[in-house]
Amino acid sequence: MTTVHVRGIALGTESFGDDDAPLVLLAGGTTMLSWPDALCERLAAGGRRVVRYDLRDSGESTTADPEAPAYTLRDLAADAAALADTLGGGPAHLAGIGVGGMVAQVAVLDHPDAFSALTLVGTRPVAPGPPDDDLPDHDRATMSRLFARPMPDWTDREAVAEFAAAGAAVLGDDPVAARATAARVWDRTPGTAPPVQTANQLGTVFSRLDCAPRWRERLPGIGVPALVVHGRRNRFFPVGNGEALAREIPGARLLVLEEAATAIPDAAVGEVTEAMLTLG
């Protein structure tokens, strides 16, 4: 783990592989642990330098006020470009998962010279809130079950891990993996105050960001090779969102994981790694 300072903030990072290898930069959604260890290790074994990082207000990155963030989506995109430049080695392959995928789309559009390829996992081409009419929204029954649950005692590591496991079961993800990841996220969270914990565990800070202007209409301007990965069973961002991204980004490849929901399951790590290595 290393802290890298860019644009007046600190970003928590973790590196895998040879420092001289081509860079693959993984934007967390919102913490770096959204990216499985096994995927990072396999990409590194494939001859890449892999750096995963925490977005602002999560993990070991700068935490200010998650209830009133003083930055925008475009600031997070600029963070990604500045981090790629600071890490060096030429344009980076940028990948984003979930809300990190929104950051990645804007980063490649706003800073095209910083990136050589783009991978988007389980995300959509519009900001939080109601989607465009042609995009499927969150599954209502799933969201009702997910948000009807009482919040855990954020000071209790095991309660938080159990809360995450139960939420994963609702979403169709692996509850055992979610429990382990939530415990690791809790260990890296700078405090037990509910706003800080929910920013780390649930990514709630992202819904408060200024995400203007829209970027969907700019997607045809992406000029780097692109891969869109989406779980067939994703009830949070249904697969139609990934299909739209693949249609609107020129030449993008769509990889649908038939047995996956919002997370990249262990069984799909090899397939996703191979697709990313092929991309660049």
Side-chain angles (χ1 to χ4, degrees):
M1 298 285 183
T2 304
T3 298
V4 179
H5 293 270
V6 299
R7 307 183 70 240
I9 60 164
L11 294 178
T13 71
E14 184 177 19
S15 299
F16 302 75
D18 186 342
D19 286 348
D20 295 326
L23 175 63
V24 178
L25 183 63
L26 306 178
T30 54
T31 83
M32 66 170 71
L33 296 181
S34 304
W35 291 101
D37 296 353
L39 179 73
C40 298
E41 292 162 358
R42 289 203 188 192
L43 286 170
R48 303 294 187 271
R49 177 191 181 194
V50 180
V51 177
R52 61 181 178 182
Y53 76 100
D54 302 310
L55 300 184
R56 301 191 198 194
D57 282 314
S58 71
E60 296 182 6
S61 294
T62 294
T63 292
D65 182 1
E67 292 189 304
Y71 53 89
T72 69
L73 174 63
R74 299 187 92 167
D75 285 320
L76 295 178
D79 291 348
L83 181 57
D85 181 64
T86 299
L87 294 171
H93 177 165
L94 178 63
I97 186 168
V99 295
M102 299 175 189
V103 174
Q105 291 170 66
V106 176
V108 169
L109 287 166
D110 282 2
H111 308 276
D113 293 340
F115 304 108
S116 60
L118 173 66
T119 294
L120 303 171
V121 181
T123 191
R124 70 182 190 181
V126 294
D132 293 347
D133 289 344
D134 65 321
L135 296 175
D137 201 353
H138 311 303
D139 179 76
R140 290 185 179 182
T142 300
M143 294 303 102
S144 294
R145 291 175 60 201
L146 194 65
F147 293 110
R149 302 173 302 143
M151 292 292 106
D153 176 358
W154 296 111
T155 67
D156 185 336
R157 183 178 187 268
E158 293 308 311
V160 172
E162 175 57 31
F163 177 79
V170 171
L171 289 169
D173 292 318
D174 180 358
V176 175
R179 181 193 302 274
T181 298
R184 292 173 67 191
V185 170
W186 193 93
D187 290 340
R188 301 177 67 248
T189 299
T192 57
V196 176
Q197 282 286 334
T198 56
N200 278 262
Q201 296 283 348
L202 304 178
T204 52
V205 65
F206 206 81
S207 64
R208 300 184 178 95
L209 290 186
D210 175 1
C211 294
R214 283 172 55 92
W215 70 88
R216 184 180 183 185
E217 290 74 16
R218 299 172 60 201
L219 293 178
I222 290 178
V224 298
L227 170 69
V228 178
V229 180
H230 216 99
R232 177 74 69 189
R233 300 181 179 183
N234 192 328
R235 301 168 194 158
F236 194 81
F237 292 140
V239 68
N241 291 280
E243 292 168 344
L245 282 166
R247 285 195 306 270
E248 294 172 28
I249 298 173
R253 175 190 173 188
L254 175 63
L255 173 59
V256 176
L257 305 178
E258 296 296 334
E259 302 302 319
T262 65
I264 301 173
D266 289 346
V269 163
E271 187 177 12
V272 174
T273 300
E274 181 180 356
M276 291 181 70
L277 290 174
T278 300
L279 192 65

